[in-house]
Amino acid sequence: MKINIKEKKQDKWLFFTVIFLVGFGLAVLFSASSVESLELTNGDSPFYYFLRQFLKVVPAVLLFLLMSHFNYKNFQKLKLPWILIGTSFLLLLYTKFQGCGGDACRWISIGPISFQTSDFARFSIIIFLADYIDRHYKNMDQFFTGIVFPTLVVLPIALLIMIQPDNSTTIILMGIVFSMLFIGGAKLIQFFTTILLGASSMLIFIINQKSYVLKRILSFIDPSSSEAIGYQSTQSLLALQQGGFLGRGWGDSVQKHQYLPEPHTDFIFAVIGEELGFLAGIIVMLAYIIIFYRIIKIAKNSNDIFGIILSIGFGLSITYYAFVNIGVVIGVIPVTGVTLPFISYGGSSLITNLLMVGILLNISRAQRKLRVRKWRLRVN
């Protein structure tokens, strides 16, 4: 059958919304990190974190532009999905046994370059699942093909991330996995049964191994039950209250002066609310909604199965992280330690997210005039 490929222009709404968030993120990051930068440099410079992030933005944007012109189908042609999965597993294994403690077990450093292995794993798993669903879409309604096998492939990676420890990333990652499998054709009853069993086992493991997780849940239900853990949520809510509708003014945050933990990473949205107000917070949330909407449009307009599932996976990854982070700051989700995409300090997260958007822009360029199966209606 002859395939007619119609070239289209890249999605401008997605492109400019992401560029806006990256630029806005740099401005907010400078303000949010200035106090900690001064403390870290003994008062010499408020630019420490800003400059480090800017040096990561440059290669991230270049990679973003490069991937927007890289044919996403080459991931399949070059047999990259399994290579990426295997590499992710080995990197996570090395990270765990390299000799480290605490959060250091989440990173690999090569000279001046360091990156978080879970970010690479997240990207690899989405590529793998999109390829897997594309190759097995006719049998995705079967329990072994649709649920068991892909879960068994992903599970070792999820467990390695969990024992780093990084429970929040593990939970979000598995949420992305099961969402993609459901959209790919897994039956609803199989889907929910697996989620129930998997979530129960994960919760039991986390609570048994990491008592602080239970404390975080209890502090979310009753902040007074654990003053130390509930402190973060209390300070973030206080920052939002002080900001009001229009904010105290850029650079005038009080909470970033050693009151709010991690103001440049996990709780940067609280600084946005305090300095720029409720209005700026709504604009940021609207930007993420626009990103997700445009990604869904890209998926719906693509008749290529790999492109559809890849778009959905990347879209879920970005928006899950965004709204979990915002949910933590506004107090509707327990504290998780998840960064805000394109805005929080962190090079590996920024590079991974821009890499995903670059591929999405490439997917938006080509449409194939093919009839697709009914399971595609789940995208709608």
Side-chain angles (χ1 to χ4, degrees):
M1 179 172 59
K2 184 178 179 180
I3 299 177
N4 178 25
I5 299 180
K6 179 184 177 182
E7 288 289 329
K8 296 186 67 180
K9 294 182 179 179
Q10 292 179 348
D11 193 302
K12 292 182 179 179
W13 276 96
L14 177 61
F15 177 85
F16 286 113
T17 303
V18 169
I19 292 298
F20 160 75
L21 284 178
V22 173
F24 176 77
L26 282 174
V28 172
L29 176 66
F30 169 68
S31 175
S33 65
S34 58
V35 174
E36 290 202 11
S37 293
L38 285 170
E39 182 181 3
L40 192 64
T41 60
N42 296 318
D44 290 339
S45 173
F47 296 98
Y48 177 80
Y49 286 108
F50 173 79
L51 290 176
R52 288 171 67 91
Q53 184 75 350
F54 183 78
L55 291 175
K56 296 167 185 174
V57 166
V58 174
V61 170
L62 291 176
L63 182 62
F64 161 66
L65 296 174
L66 175 65
M67 293 307 297
S68 68
H69 293 87
F70 176 80
N71 187 349
Y72 68 97
K73 294 292 289 182
N74 286 333
F75 281 102
Q76 291 182 302
K77 293 178 182 179
L78 300 175
K79 310 296 183 183
L80 290 180
W82 279 102
I83 295 174
L84 291 173
I85 283 288
T87 304
S88 297
F89 178 79
L90 293 175
L91 287 175
L92 287 165
L93 203 61
Y94 173 77
T95 305
K96 182 59 183 176
F97 297 104
Q98 65 178 324
C100 56
D103 290 345
C105 291
R106 303 178 186 181
W107 299 83
I108 284 182
S109 297
I110 305 174
I113 302 173
S114 62
F115 64 95
Q116 195 165 355
T117 48
S118 60
D119 285 322
F120 181 76
R122 171 165 53 105
F123 174 78
S124 302
I125 285 174
I126 294 172
I127 294 285
F128 165 75
L129 287 177
D131 175 68
Y132 179 84
I133 293 169
D134 183 25
R135 296 180 187 279
H136 300 90
Y137 70 93
K138 292 182 180 179
N139 300 313
M140 286 298 293
D141 58 345
Q142 298 176 10
F143 185 59
F144 181 82
T145 303
I147 295 288
V148 176
F149 183 79
T151 302
L152 289 176
V153 173
V154 171
L155 199 57
I157 293 176
L159 290 174
L160 284 173
I161 295 174
M162 183 184 295
I163 64 178
Q164 284 185 337
D166 194 349
N167 299 316
S168 53
T169 295
T170 306
I171 293 171
I172 294 176
L173 181 61
M174 294 309 295
I176 295 169
V177 168
F178 286 125
S179 298
M180 291 179 68
L181 292 177
F182 171 68
I183 293 171
K187 285 186 177 180
L188 199 60
I189 184 66
Q190 299 172 351
F191 176 73
F192 281 114
T193 301
T194 306
I195 285 183
L196 182 62
L197 292 173
S200 300
S201 302
M202 186 180 296
L203 185 61
I204 292 171
F205 176 83
I206 290 174
I207 291 176
N208 286 338
Q209 298 295 322
K210 309 293 178 184
S211 60
Y212 73 88
V213 176
L214 181 59
K215 291 179 181 178
R216 283 187 174 184
I217 296 173
L218 293 175
S219 70
F220 171 71
I221 298 172
D222 180 13
S224 63
S225 65
S226 180
E227 183 178 350
I229 296 177
Y231 176 80
Q232 295 171 307
S233 299
T234 302
Q235 294 301 316
S236 66
L237 289 174
L238 183 59
L240 296 176
Q241 291 171 1
Q242 291 175 340
F245 187 74
L246 294 177
R248 299 171 59 91
W250 183 78
D252 291 335
S253 168
V254 173
Q255 293 302 107
K256 69 184 180 183
H257 290 269
Q258 307 300 315
Y259 295 106
L260 181 66
E262 307 297 336
H264 59 300
T265 56
D266 302 351
F267 286 90
I268 197 169
F269 188 77
V271 177
I272 293 173
E274 184 183 8
E275 293 190 348
L276 303 176
F278 175 78
L279 180 61
I282 291 296
I283 291 173
V284 171
M285 287 190 283
L286 181 61
Y288 288 114
I289 292 172
I290 290 172
I291 287 173
F292 187 66
Y293 173 74
R294 297 312 304 177
I295 291 174
I296 294 298
K297 289 287 290 183
I298 291 171
K300 290 173 66 175
N301 290 332
S302 175
N303 288 331
D304 176 83
I305 296 174
F306 180 62
I308 292 171
I309 303 300
L310 199 57
S311 299
I312 295 298
F314 288 160
L316 292 174
S317 175
I318 293 169
T319 51
Y320 278 1
Y321 270 80
F323 286 103
V324 166
N325 177 278
I326 294 172
V328 168
V329 171
I330 65 178
V332 298
I333 296 176
V335 176
T336 58
V338 171
T339 56
L340 189 61
F342 310 113
I343 295 179
S344 291
Y345 176 79
S348 59
S349 174
L350 178 66
I351 290 172
T352 301
N353 289 324
L354 284 178
L355 178 63
M356 291 180 180
V357 176
I359 296 171
L360 284 164
L361 290 174
N362 183 260
I363 295 173
S364 71
R365 294 180 60 190
Q367 285 187 323
R368 292 192 174 190
K369 295 182 179 180
L370 291 173
R371 296 178 63 87
V372 294
R373 302 184 65 83
K374 292 182 179 180
W375 62 261
R376 182 175 175 272
L377 294 175
R378 298 184 190 220
V379 177
N380 296 328

